[in-house]
Amino acid sequence: MSMTSFSDWLYATQFSTALRETTWVIPNLQTIHIIAIAVVIGSAIATELRMAGIFATDRPLPDVLHRYLPWMKWALVVLLLTGALLVIAEPGRTLNNTLFWIKMALVAGASLVTLRARRSLVLATAGGSSAITVPEASRGLSWLMLLVWCAIIFCGRFIAYA
Ligand code: HEM
């Protein structure tokens, strides 16, 4: 089954039709999606700038990661749920759109790096010294990650115009 016929099938389902035709559903999903974006980006800025040695440098790195990573994790879950419902409501806008798939690949990569690599830093220091130094390569990765999060926002916004 091609992506076009899958999205046509999904569009015709009762669930998709109900989501689309209940006027308050899509605006509310979009609003929750945007609030969750603010939480993810806020947490990414705080943690990545700490890793780059620019923000909250007087706070131990594990403290900063402990504080923001759970927010980021739960906001990503909300993004996944609201995003999936938005796809189901209007599959033709997204499933046949290259920008949507670029965005999904970037979201998967950025989430993996943040929640795995960054988290392993926290675990590595748990119970040990909190005065760890961030390797130089990791500082470069922080700037790259901030760029990737910005690219995800651009892709999300441009889906409607591509
Ligand atoms: C985790 C899985 C995600 C899914 C499945 C998803 C899916 C979607 C969908 C279907 C739309 C509506 C596109 C349209 O029809 O115009 C959307 C909009 C958007 N998404 Fe996501 N998204 C996800 C995560 C994210 C993340 C992590 C970010 C950024 C941090 C993000 C940023 C945006 C932005 C900026 C918009 C445009 C909002 C608007 O202008 O109304 N999304 N997303």
Side-chain angles (χ1 to χ4, degrees), residues 30 33-34 37 40-41 76 79-80 83-84 86-87 93-94 100 103-104 107 149 152-153 156-157 159-160:
Q30 287 172 333
H33 203 74
I34 290 170
I37 292 165
V40 167
I41 296 299
L76 280 167
L79 282 169
L80 188 63
L86 287 169
V87 170
R93 281 169 70 102
T94 46
F100 171 75
K103 176 183 153 180
M104 286 302 100
V107 168
W149 287 116
I152 292 169
I153 295 181
R157 194 69 272 273
I159 288 169

Side-chain angles (χ1 to χ4, degrees), residues 50-73:
R50 175 62 186 85
M51 303 277 297
I54 287 180
F55 169 76
T57 45
D58 56 333
R59 307 289 311 154
L61 177 59
D63 284 5
V64 176
L65 295 180
H66 260 305
R67 184 170 192 171
Y68 291 104
L69 289 188
W71 283 95
M72 185 181 263
K73 186 176 84 181

